[in-house]
Amino acid sequence: MSMQSFFLSPEGRQCRAPYAMGLFSLTCLVSALGKAAGKVAAPAQVATLKTFTVLLFLAAIYSLGALSAKRLHDLGRSGWWAPIYAVIPGALMLLAVLAPQVFAAPPAGSGGSSLRWVLAYGVPAVGAGLLLELLLRPGEPGANAYGPVPTGEV
């Protein structure tokens, strides 16, 4: 499988190890972007870098969706579940980067908005649970509707 189809195609099946490797690669890319964005000092560069970061982050969300669709295929599920597993949490992460005040937990004892509590604590908890399922649950042992058993190669 080529790197292009590995990161961009939702077709076929993907076992746990290559999925974890792809997830790690995307995480490193997004982290590096965050570090680079934090080091920009000139105001003229901030707008350009923010636009570039958003575009690259959207590409990373698509790639995460494609990887997750293949992993879901390995579990015998439709790739249409990928938005719940990957794209929606990824889009919320993008929102957290662009508007961190939305995700800030309310001050202790303030009662705060329930939506802020859900965004600050509930969404990450559910996302982590779904991610763990994709990382830890073994795929179907034989061929299924989405293809033969994956070899584990990238």
Side-chain angles (χ1 to χ4, degrees):
M1 174 182 298
S2 72
M3 281 298 187
Q4 182 178 356
S5 64
F6 177 72
F7 282 106
L8 300 177
S9 172
E11 302 294 322
R13 293 173 63 177
Q14 193 62 261
C15 56
R16 292 176 286 183
Y19 176 75
M21 183 190 73
L23 188 64
F24 178 74
S25 300
L26 290 172
T27 302
C28 289
L29 174 69
V30 170
S31 296
L33 280 174
K35 285 256 186 212
K39 295 190 184 284
V40 172
Q45 293 175 332
V46 172
T48 303
L49 184 62
K50 197 175 226 183
T51 302
F52 177 72
T53 302
V54 168
L55 292 174
L56 205 49
F57 203 90
L58 289 172
I61 290 172
Y62 174 81
S63 183
L64 180 59
L67 285 170
S68 297
K70 286 186 281 210
R71 183 70 191 111
L72 287 162
H73 289 166
D74 192 40
L75 298 173
R77 294 190 189 154
S78 168
W80 286 105
W81 284 100
I84 293 171
Y85 279 81
V87 175
I88 292 172
L92 289 172
M93 286 177 11
L94 178 61
L95 179 62
V97 169
L98 297 176
Q101 68 278 5
V102 173
F103 287 87
S110 70
S113 158
S114 343
L115 177 61
R116 285 182 72 188
W117 279 101
V118 169
L119 289 174
Y121 299 110
V123 171
V126 170
L130 295 173
L131 176 66
L132 283 174
E133 179 186 10
L134 292 179
L135 287 170
L136 300 176
R137 188 166 167 224
E140 291 186 339
N144 65 18
Y146 303 102
V149 177
T151 61
E153 296 176 1
V154 177

